[in-house]
Amino acid sequence: MKTIITCILLILCFCEHANAQLLPFRTYSIEHGLTQTVVNDIAQGSEGYIWIGTRYGLNRLDGIEIKAYDSEQGLLDNAIESLLKGSDGRLWVGTGEGLNFMMGDSIYTYKELNPLSKQSITSLFEDSNGDLWIGTSEAGVWTSDSQRRLTQYTTTHGLANEQVRSIVEDGNKTIWIATRGGLTSLSNGNFTSYHVENGLPEERIRDLLIDQNGVLWIATREGVARYINGAFDLLQEQDGLVSNRVRSLSMDAEGAIWLGTEAGASMYKNG
């Protein structure tokens, strides 16, 4: 869930109806010190800095200036795919060739993470046990526990597909994994995968979200699906969605679900 990016898209959509009123945007681009204009992820670190991951380099914004980091400072690759602030305060940085983390102003990695050194890290998630889940572009999903033990899960274990896009955990401690070939859940050590024949509208899952009622939302190119009481239902354009091609999901402080699509943004608020 790229919350900050989604919020920016939502504001842009509403600008058309603002009667040319200027909103308080501040833009950061190459001329302001950003290393590249294509932003893949944004996170706020424990010290309050905004971290911006681009296709060429990691950028730290302190509100005034941008400081750039690349492979010369220790990044395994300059393509930044995903970011996550861990509960211990470190910033995890998923790159096109492995996983780094930052403590203070320094970039590190663990030798135990070497098996990921040639993998594109597409998704990062920390579960309720403090274990780190690492989604990759073609090698499935991995976990790293507090002892730095690395475990890989692939289609051999029951994963729907080895191209992972998003990872979340529900209130029952079930892990849900979005892939390019379906949806997978992991509960009590058992994998279950869901495909079109199980009720999904489409199998190229783009994002996942657990709402305040514990309902799983699933972004696809054929609308947004919800998993409720063991079954899927579907919301599409005929239900008011601006486009069926949903890319991102976010929830605001009031519990409203914001859906970023390829044709704008929609908001769903029950009641």
Side-chain angles (χ1 to χ4, degrees):
M1 292 176 290
K2 310 290 193 288
T3 305
I4 298 176
I5 297 174
T6 302
C7 290
I8 292 172
L9 290 173
L10 298 174
I11 294 171
L12 288 173
C13 293
F14 289 128
C15 283
E16 295 181 4
H17 306 288
N19 297 322
Q21 178 182 357
L22 292 178
L23 296 178
F25 278 102
R26 180 177 295 177
T27 298
Y28 297 93
S29 192
I30 291 176
E31 58 265 32
H32 304 96
L34 201 66
T35 54
Q36 218 261 355
T37 56
V38 178
V39 176
N40 288 329
D41 206 356
I42 302 174
Q44 186 169 22
S46 58
E47 297 177 345
Y49 296 124
I50 298 297
W51 294 89
I52 304 170
T54 76
R55 287 186 180 176
Y56 194 88
L58 178 66
N59 302 261
R60 189 191 74 183
L61 174 63
D62 63 8
I64 301 174
E65 297 180 336
I66 292 176
K67 181 176 181 179
Y69 302 80
D70 57 25
S71 57
E72 292 186 2
Q73 284 79 45
L75 286 175
L76 294 170
D77 185 61
N78 288 327
I80 309 303
E81 304 292 343
S82 53
L83 299 171
L84 174 71
K85 184 185 77 170
S87 59
D88 60 359
R90 72 186 62 191
L91 180 77
W92 292 97
V93 183
T95 80
E97 293 191 1
L99 184 62
N100 288 112
F101 67 90
M102 296 198 67
M103 293 290 288
D105 200 44
S106 300
I107 300 174
Y108 304 92
T109 191
Y110 293 135
K111 61 180 176 59
E112 290 86 353
L113 297 175
N114 285 345
L116 295 167
S117 61
K118 297 301 178 183
Q119 300 299 327
S120 178
I121 310 301
T122 54
S123 182
L124 294 166
F125 177 75
E126 184 179 344
D127 68 20
S128 56
N129 294 322
D131 293 341
L132 181 66
W133 290 77
I134 306 156
T136 71
S137 63
E138 57 183 24
V141 65
W142 304 62
T143 62
S144 177
D145 64 15
S146 60
Q147 303 300 313
R148 304 181 187 175
R149 291 174 296 199
L150 199 62
T151 303
Q152 182 185 19
Y153 300 106
T154 66
T155 53
T156 302
H157 302 91
L159 197 63
N161 183 277
E162 295 181 5
Q163 293 178 285
V164 176
R165 290 294 176 263
S166 183
I167 306 165
V168 297
E169 180 183 24
D170 67 21
N172 297 318
K173 295 193 174 184
T174 297
I175 299 294
W176 293 91
I177 304 165
T179 81
R180 292 276 292 175
L183 176 69
T184 297
S185 66
L186 174 59
S187 179
N188 297 319
N190 298 312
F191 285 88
T192 303
S193 286
Y194 304 85
H195 301 277
V196 170
E197 57 266 31
N198 305 116
L200 281 178
E202 200 255 349
E203 296 184 352
R204 292 169 292 180
I205 312 300
R206 290 173 158 183
D207 202 4
L208 299 174
L209 179 143
I210 304 292
D211 71 16
Q212 61 184 6
N213 297 314
V215 173
L216 175 68
W217 292 65
I218 305 141
T220 81
R221 297 185 182 188
E222 296 295 335
V224 62
R226 298 180 298 181
Y227 189 67
I228 305 173
N229 298 324
F232 295 98
D233 73 358
L234 182 62
L235 299 175
Q236 294 182 308
E237 291 175 11
Q238 62 262 32
D239 301 300
L241 193 61
V242 67
S243 169
N244 287 338
R245 298 176 74 88
V246 182
R247 297 184 63 88
S248 62
L249 300 166
S250 295
M251 182 171 62
D252 67 23
E254 297 181 352
I257 308 300
W258 295 89
L259 304 94
T261 81
E262 294 184 7
S266 294
M267 185 268 282
Y268 179 94
K269 188 172 183 179
N270 194 9

